[in-house]
Amino acid sequence: MDGAAKVLGTAQYVDDLSAKDGELHGATVRSAVARGRIRGIAFDEAFDWSGVTRVTAKDVPENIVQLIVDDQPVLADTVIHHVYEPIVLLACEDRAKLADACAAVTIDVEPLDAVLDIASSLAAKTVVSGEDNVQTRYLITKGAADSEDSETKIDEALAACEVVVTGEYSSHHQEQLYIETQGMLAWWDEAGVHVTGSLQCPYYVHKGFKRAFGLEGDAIHVTQAVTGGGFGGKEEYPTIIALHAALLAKKSGRHVRMIYDRTEDIQATTKRHPAACEISTGCDRDGRLRVLKMRAVFDAGAYVTLTPVVLSRGVLHAGGAYSWQDARIEGLSVTTNTPPNGAFRGFGAPQTIWAIERHLDRVARELGRDPAELKRQNLLVEGDTTATGQVLRGSVGGEECADKAFASSDYFAKRAAGPVIEGRKARGIGASLFMHGGGFTGSGERMLKGRVAVDLQAGGRLLIRSGSTDIGQGTETVFSQIAADAAGIDVSQVSFAVPSTTTVPDSGPTVASRTVMVVGAIVEQAAAAVAAQVRAAGRDDESWVDAADRLLAEHGELSVLKQYEPPSWVDWDETTYKGDAYPVYAWSCDIAEVEVDLDTFEVRVLQFWTAADVGKAINPVMCRGQLEGGALQAIGWALSEDIVWRDGHILNPRMTNYIVPTALDAPRFETILVECPYPHGPGGGAKGIGELPMDGGAPAVAAAIEHATGVSMDHLPLLPERLLLASMAGTTSQGAI
Amino acid sequence: MRVELLVNGQERVVEMPPMVRLLDVLRGQLGLIGAKEGCGEGECGTCTVMLDGEPVNACLVAIGQCNGREIITVEGLAEGEHLTPLQQCMADHGGAQCGICTPGMLIAAEALLRRERSPSDEQIRAAVAGNICRCTGYQRIVISIQEAAAARREQSEGPR
Ligand code: FES
Ligand code: FES
């Protein structure tokens, strides 16, 4: 079993695979300027290049990284768009010589003006992409804003409200910091190209190879090695490192392994998109929310990568878990000359949920209400419509989550009592409410057609073949459990095939909280179908094993392939952004209790409550582990994780100075599982929860800090020095200090 | 330099320049891939091994310092495929998600349990504070170690 291999230390991650004869190490030579034109590449003639393989853009058959837009080259050829742009690849058997070889490459670049943040990109004084640096725009309108002239109409609706509140909120980059850095092993043989490594989505890499090398699908063999965490960071990026390793392998005729060290990994790979949001809302004096006007701008970085989809999820979650009668939500993404941002757990939603949650805290202040009570009053319930006009058909657990989290944390009593101040320490409590859509947005699942196969094997065993990967979130265990329950056999009788494009069907990527809910549902169907055949063929006195073996002997093989069909009622209009954005949502309430040092403004989260509507917890231990691990990433994002930039360079690309929480920083978690089953989910109604816990931690912590100190923060991260400055500037709400 | 080591109970001899990192010797010559390299600079703890009973970051130890000393890696915890209570608890209580931090975490926890029969939550957190886990939020790890401590007490107090 996988669990045993991990605790025995025998699980093989890509860096652990035994070295092949003549294997080379690969390395990347990158740009050093944020934007510029490549005038030339010089390989120092004094250096002994023997035994060193060199690859440049000229060696790439089609120099494009296959994603949504064809804007990113595998290796930069003429123009540089960010500081860590790969330009030359080198491979050598001897690591020390490889490092010297990298130093013997000089890239001659004519620097160009660069755009490094959202504000200067929007200002478009320097244009670095398209006509105005803007990549993608979305507009969601509801009620009064459903008009040609949506902006005027929403402004009129706002003006008619009793209370109008306006604010700006921003959030920053975040590094996934999976503990296993990215790595790939590549080689070529008569069957084609092979890559094995750390990845979430084998078929993304497969598509990338079809495009860049112009190969037929059956000549590309992408296999996942045991993967040490991903969180989105190993969704699209592995295609690039796999292509790089394969280019070197092709040219050298050897096995080539590329393993990034921590610094290169932090510098070159994707991060969470920074976002800037402006919000105006209108409500009644009694707190009934009515009108939402919002604009969210996401920083894409140098290329488009997955930004349109991230932005889409961002705007679709921008209204939060609340009911709005009129809404206008505008989203745009802009190019900057920073490393491309990409997938990261939450996928755009944490950014907009940070904004709307903080904004409602501000509205509550304006109304003299408790923020959580105000939010609870306006929560979406079954039958309500979201900003896209989607009618919520059930499995809506928001209120139950809120009430359970409030009760468990004694939230209202603690709020009413005010901050607890002892010496220089102040303790406060804060809450956030939120939801997260499961599966691909809109018609995504319908187009994707995820597939899974379940094979009957000797001894009545089942083998699940799926392209969904286990990156630590427990796919293997949960799928095995789903299949065993569906077939009515013991879980020890089920195994999970190593995800390899050669042997497993494309289940769609391992992203978007879709693995259990969407792919798990077809695992369930396929396993049930195999079992039904065995049982139908079984004779009265025959055991499961005997019937299965006889059936196999008669037929040679028995395998069922199932394809995902979303619920028939899912109706989404991609052009108007109206309809069922997601078939169902997971709901949650987070509550943080913090202690703030009033001299240093250091913040400790003491206790963290989460009540989450997961539909159905198939494996409660893993479910809690997902919720707690996600919450701690959110807390890290809020309090300590900060990428420091200068001229497009990252100044802290190390674990010494990019600070993620340790066991001593982590709070005690009280995790409450709420189950409002989703009829189409597997195992009795499971919903996707992988990303949900990333959404609510930061606003809950900020609300708690505000309760403790009166300092109200609208911009992440909540570093001590920023809190101190804000308190000195008097951005306080209650004058507690 | 000739270095004699006792690794997971076996005598091993390596010929190495003294400044080569213990981590590279373990993962290379000795073929023990359990300890991982997450940062290479003493910050992540994935390379934690026991050196004469004390947890150390193998990425910061030079092989030249190891002559005549005892090293235990994650591979040295179990007897064959038979999991120790600590390993079993880590697997059962969700202490290992992606598993990349697990070998180091297990060594740090094992070192703690050897000196503390009933560690408190705070002691456990302090003992693994040098081992970064990005997946679990640590609570499942703390629970796993507490359960393991209880199982060990039961074993040692139980009938002999
Ligand atoms: S690799 Fe040794 S502490 Fe990170
Ligand atoms: S289990 Fe993944 S880093 Fe700890």
Side-chain angles (χ1 to χ4, degrees), chain A residues 15-163:
Chain A
D15 199 24
D16 302 332
L17 302 170
S18 52
K20 302 295 176 298
D21 275 346
E23 182 178 310
L24 310 180
H25 302 286
T28 314
V29 180
R30 301 177 185 277
S31 160
V33 299
R35 184 161 171 259
R37 214 178 303 281
I38 301 176
R39 283 190 290 231
I41 301 171
F43 295 92
D44 185 353
E45 281 170 20
F47 185 78
D48 168 19
W49 290 97
S50 62
V52 180
T53 303
R54 297 181 262 180
V55 165
T56 63
K58 289 196 296 290
D59 299 299
V60 193
E62 187 174 2
N63 195 5
I64 288 169
V65 178
Q66 171 71 38
L67 264 172
I68 296 171
V69 173
D70 292 345
D71 60 341
Q72 183 170 201
V74 179
L75 289 171
D77 193 3
T78 48
V79 191
I80 287 165
H81 291 282
H82 66 94
V83 164
Y84 305 111
E85 186 105 59
I87 299 170
V88 176
L89 304 171
L90 301 173
C92 181
E93 204 165 337
D94 175 352
R95 261 182 215 275
K97 183 166 183 183
L98 180 61
D100 292 344
C102 290
V105 179
T106 314
I107 305 190
D108 180 19
V109 179
E110 173 197 345
L112 298 172
D113 286 348
V115 162
L116 297 172
D117 56 28
I118 289 178
S120 45
S121 184
L122 272 180
K125 286 211 182 72
T126 302
V127 174
V128 299
S129 86
E131 284 170 15
D132 55 2
N133 297 329
V134 175
Q135 295 182 354
T136 309
R137 283 178 200 272
Y138 293 113
L139 185 64
I140 296 172
T141 56
K142 184 187 181 195
D146 244 341
S147 139
E148 287 285 283
D149 195 9
S150 65
E151 185 148 20
T152 317
K153 289 289 190 280
I154 202 81
D155 287 342
E156 285 168 11
L158 275 172
C161 289
E162 290 174 3
V163 180

Side-chain angles (χ1 to χ4, degrees), chain A residues 6-7 13 15-16 175-177 179 228-229 262 472 625-626 628-629 633 641 654 656 661-663 668-669, chain B residues 27 36 38 41 43-44 46 78 83 87 97-100 106 121-122 125 129 132 134-140:
Chain A
K6 283 173 181 169
V7 295
Y13 301 79
D15 199 24
D16 302 332
E175 160 61 33
Q176 291 86 356
L177 216 100
I179 302 299
R262 180 61 62 186
Q626 281 294 298
E628 292 164 3
Q633 289 180 350
E641 297 180 36
R654 297 165 60 185
T656 324
T662 69
R668 308 294 186 274
F669 289 101
Chain B
R27 291 182 53 84
K36 314 290 181 200
E41 53 178 5
E43 289 292 332
C44 72
T46 55
L83 304 185
Q87 288 170 313
Q97 286 188 18
C98 80
I100 193 84
L106 285 167
D121 182 293
E122 210 49 45
R125 287 178 186 268
I132 303 293
R134 189 59 156 166
C135 296
T136 61
Y138 301 105
Q139 182 142 315
R140 309 274 121 208

Side-chain angles (χ1 to χ4, degrees), chain B residues 31-75:
Chain B
L32 295 167
I33 50 122
K36 314 290 181 200
E37 177 163 354
C39 71
E41 53 178 5
E43 289 292 332
C44 72
T46 55
C47 63
T48 309
V49 300
M50 258 191 267
L51 184 62
D52 291 342
E54 283 300 314
V56 296
N57 290 326
C59 70
L60 297 182
V61 174
I63 191 68
Q65 296 169 279
C66 299
N67 194 22
R69 301 178 75 177
E70 183 188 7
I71 291 159
I72 297 175
T73 70
V74 68
E75 289 94 337

Side-chain angles (χ1 to χ4, degrees), chain A residues 2-4 6-13 15-17 174-181 226-229 231 261-263 344-345 470-474 604 620-622 624-626 628-630 632-633 636-637 641 653-656 658 660-671, chain B residues 24 27 32-41 43-46 74-84 86-103 105-106 121-140 142-143:
Chain A
D2 173 55
K6 283 173 181 169
V7 295
L8 285 166
T10 52
Q12 297 210 329
Y13 301 79
D15 199 24
D16 302 332
L17 302 170
Q174 185 181 21
E175 160 61 33
Q176 291 86 356
L177 216 100
Y178 30 69
I179 302 299
E180 181 211 20
T181 55
V226 180
T227 296
F231 318 116
D261 67 16
R262 180 61 62 186
T263 292
F344 192 157
R345 192 181 210 167
D470 196 325
I471 51 173
Q473 83 289 40
R604 269 198 67 191
V621 167
M622 287 190 167
R624 287 171 197 278
Q626 281 294 298
E628 292 164 3
L632 190 60
Q633 289 180 350
W637 186 46
E641 297 180 36
R654 297 165 60 185
M655 286 182 74
T656 324
Y658 183 83
V660 297
T662 69
L664 287 171
D665 305 319
R668 308 294 186 274
F669 289 101
E670 181 66 39
T671 306
Chain B
D24 295 328
R27 291 182 53 84
L32 295 167
I33 50 122
K36 314 290 181 200
E37 177 163 354
C39 71
E41 53 178 5
E43 289 292 332
C44 72
T46 55
V74 68
E75 289 94 337
L77 295 181
E79 279 169 36
E81 296 281 291
H82 194 73
L83 304 185
T84 63
L86 177 60
Q87 288 170 313
Q88 191 65 54
C89 288
M90 207 70 142
D92 290 348
H93 297 282
Q97 286 188 18
C98 80
I100 193 84
C101 71
T102 310
M105 205 61 89
L106 285 167
D121 182 293
E122 210 49 45
Q123 283 174 312
I124 293 173
R125 287 178 186 268
V128 302
N131 296 78
I132 303 293
C133 174
R134 189 59 156 166
C135 296
T136 61
Y138 301 105
Q139 182 142 315
R140 309 274 121 208
V142 174
I143 293 171

